[in-house]
């Protein structure tokens, strides 16, 4: 039977509630594997596990329960090892890394911030700040819409200006939030958002971070800013290997939208 891994804690972490279950139907009972100063919260891995809402929530609920008792290094949904021995072997091999991360992340949570342009608002900005685009748009309007080449040129100019504005606004948003977080992790550029950044925030100062997000919404009304959190610090388990060796991830993240 393969082993499903939820997260890694210190061996001194408080015990889980008796009878608590995790993923699977019926829910697989949780157990704790200890190796030196570390422990891993695991269960048997159900066959054919898929990232359905019920399973994602079960994974998240386990991490929330663990996190309520202290720092946890969360594993992504679908982290499966061949057996319990494989998990404890990795805890031994990477003990220094995991212990350092537990110290660094203690008392901290993750917030993910995504942003995109409000289309009508950003087009207004582009037109207002670019005389050449305004002039060509007005010329096209006066000539009944403009010729084919003029329409193509206007579209290209607008697209280029919007792209440049995306880079500027993404950097401005990051700068606005950076001072209220301990660390940040930039998501992949291929997500379709002009900004996709996870921030590591102290629980004790989370209100300051949330206030900074609200201020950014006020200062940049042409942005749609989405906030997700607090989350287990998925994006900050690194540097170093984030998951036990021989694990396979199902490609879903319980914290991401």
């Amino acid at each position: 039977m393969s082993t499903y891994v939820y997260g890694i804690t210190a061996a001194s972490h408080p015990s889980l509630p008796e009878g608590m279950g995790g993923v699977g139907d019926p829910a697989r009972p949780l157990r704790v594997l200890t190796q030196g100063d570390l422990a891993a919260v695991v269960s048997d891995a159900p066959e054919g596990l898929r990232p359905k809402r019920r399973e994602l929530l079960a994974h998240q609920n386990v991490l929330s329960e663990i996190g309520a008792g202290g720092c946890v290094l969360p594993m992504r949904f679908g982290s499966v090892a061949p057996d319990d021995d494989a998990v404890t072997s990795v805890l031994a091999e990477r003990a220094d890394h995991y212990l350092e991360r537990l110290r660094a992340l203690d008392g901290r949570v993750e917030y993910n911030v995504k942003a995109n342009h409000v289309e009508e608002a950003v087009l207004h900005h582009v037109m207002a700040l670019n005389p050449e685009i305004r002039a060509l748009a007005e010329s096209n309007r006066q000539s009944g819409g403009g010729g084919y080449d003029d329409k193509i040129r206007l579209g290209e100019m607008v697209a280029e200006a919007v792209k440049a504005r995306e880079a500027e606004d993404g950097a401005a948003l990051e700068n606005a939030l950076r001072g209220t977080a301990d660390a940040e992790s930039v998501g992949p550029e291929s997500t379709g958002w002009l900004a996709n950044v996870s921030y590591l925030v102290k629980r004790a100062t989370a209100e300051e971070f949330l206030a900074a997000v609200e201020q950014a919404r006020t200062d940049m009304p042409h942005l749609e800013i989405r906030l997700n959190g607090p989350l287990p610090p998925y994006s900050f388990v690194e540097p170093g290997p984030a998951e036990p060796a021989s694990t396979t991830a199902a490609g879903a993240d319980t914290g991401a939208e």
Side-chain angles (χ1 to χ4, degrees):
M1 176 69 70
S2 50
T3 301
Y4 187 98
V5 187
Y6 298 87
I8 295 170
T9 70
S12 58
H13 197 88
S15 300
L16 293 169
E18 187 175 351
M20 184 175 181
V23 296
D25 187 13
R28 301 303 192 268
L30 300 180
R31 58 182 186 277
V32 177
L33 306 178
T34 303
Q35 175 62 48
D37 293 328
L38 293 168
V41 178
V42 306
S43 69
D44 290 343
E47 293 185 6
L49 183 66
R50 295 290 182 268
K52 296 181 179 179
R53 178 175 175 78
R54 179 189 178 283
E55 303 295 5
L56 292 169
L57 288 175
H59 180 97
Q60 186 67 51
N61 288 341
V62 171
L63 287 172
S64 295
E65 185 66 40
I66 302 170
C71 189
V72 56
L73 303 183
M75 298 295 104
R76 304 247 177 205
F77 177 86
S79 295
V80 178
D83 52 36
D84 288 2
D85 288 343
V87 176
T88 54
S89 292
V90 172
L91 293 181
E93 292 168 8
R94 300 179 182 170
D96 290 344
H97 165 69
Y98 289 137
L99 289 169
E100 184 278 329
R101 288 288 83 197
L102 285 168
R103 289 190 294 270
L105 300 179
D106 190 29
R108 291 162 174 82
V109 292
E110 175 175 330
Y111 286 91
N112 177 257
V113 176
K114 293 183 174 73
N116 244 336
H117 278 141
V118 177
E119 185 174 358
E120 184 175 345
V122 74
L123 289 176
H124 175 77
H125 273 271
V126 165
M127 296 291 287
L129 298 174
N130 194 311
E132 188 177 1
I133 291 178
R134 288 202 310 275
L136 180 56
E138 179 61 19
S139 175
N140 286 356
R141 187 187 66 79
Q142 292 181 357
S143 62
Y148 175 79
D149 289 342
D150 286 336
K151 289 180 180 178
I152 293 297
R153 180 169 170 243
L154 178 61
E156 290 175 344
M157 290 173 64
V158 169
E160 183 177 346
V162 168
K163 185 175 182 180
R165 186 76 193 193
E166 286 180 348
E168 294 173 8
D169 286 336
L173 179 59
E174 289 182 39
N175 288 335
L177 302 181
R178 183 171 290 134
T180 57
D182 284 359
E184 62 186 63
S185 176
V186 179
E189 294 182 1
S190 60
T191 58
W193 300 91
L194 65 84
N196 177 16
V197 185
S198 290
Y199 294 90
L200 185 66
V201 178
K202 293 185 180 72
R203 290 183 186 272
T205 60
E207 289 301 321
E208 295 179 18
F209 177 80
L210 296 177
V213 172
E214 289 306 312
Q215 188 63 50
R217 285 176 170 148
T218 299
D219 295 341
M220 293 179 273
H222 58 292
L223 294 184
E224 176 196 4
I225 300 175
R226 296 188 182 183
L227 175 68
N228 191 21
L231 306 166
Y234 290 102
S235 302
F236 302 95
V237 176
E238 300 293 355
E243 298 178 357
S246 302
T247 65
T248 57
D253 181 344
T254 61
E257 291 184 359

